[in-house]
Amino acid sequence: QVQLVESGGGSVQAGGSLRLSCAASGYTASSYCMGWFRRAPGKEREGVATISSDGSTRYADSVKGRFTISQDKSKKTLYLQMNSLKSEDTAIYYCAARLRASECGAFSYWGQGTQVNVSS
């Protein structure tokens, strides 16, 4: 079955950087969309960034210029490089996948999440 396993979360001071990874397994798909989402304490889950199988990316306004989503197709691994972190970036970060689709939409598969804490 499809599995998504995030890693790389932790605690960092404001202004610092972290890189999240998401190892995907259990599927074969030439077209897909993968994304990072987050849920901050007391808030609803929000989209952070997405990347399609053709390499096109989209970002939430709140992270543009600070976060970079990328992928290593040979390793089926998704990354989120987070720079200039702010306290408001504190959240649980989730990896998600939508398979056999050329456009990003509803995501069918989710990881368990990794905690990111940014102290000011």
Side-chain angles (χ1 to χ4, degrees):
Q1 70 275 21
V2 178
Q3 286 192 317
L4 303 174
V5 180
E6 302 98 334
S7 60
S11 297
V12 65
Q13 289 190 330
S17 299
L18 282 174
R19 189 177 82 154
L20 305 183
S21 299
C22 172
S25 62
Y27 70 90
T28 300
S30 58
S31 61
Y32 55 82
C33 178
M34 297 193 73
W36 289 99
F37 293 76
R38 67 186 181 186
R39 187 191 300 273
K43 295 186 178 181
E44 294 188 355
R45 186 178 65 198
E46 64 172 349
V48 176
T50 60
I51 186 166
S52 300
S53 48
D54 65 0
S56 58
T57 59
R58 296 185 68 178
Y59 296 91
D61 289 341
S62 58
V63 306
K64 281 181 181 176
R66 299 189 298 123
F67 290 11
T68 302
I69 189 170
S70 62
Q71 60 183 334
D72 185 330
K73 291 185 177 183
S74 65
K75 296 181 179 179
K76 284 188 177 178
T77 300
L78 181 71
Y79 302 100
L80 185 68
Q81 178 66 45
M82 305 186 294
N83 298 329
S84 302
L85 283 161
K86 306 175 180 180
S87 57
E88 51 262 44
D89 295 319
T90 294
I92 300 174
Y93 284 73
Y94 299 90
C95 170
R98 173 180 167 88
L99 305 178
R100 301 176 189 87
S102 58
E103 296 181 352
C104 295
F107 288 80
S108 302
Y109 303 97
W110 295 83
Q112 82 289 350
T114 185
Q115 179 72 49
V116 171
N117 293 313
V118 184
S119 58
S120 57

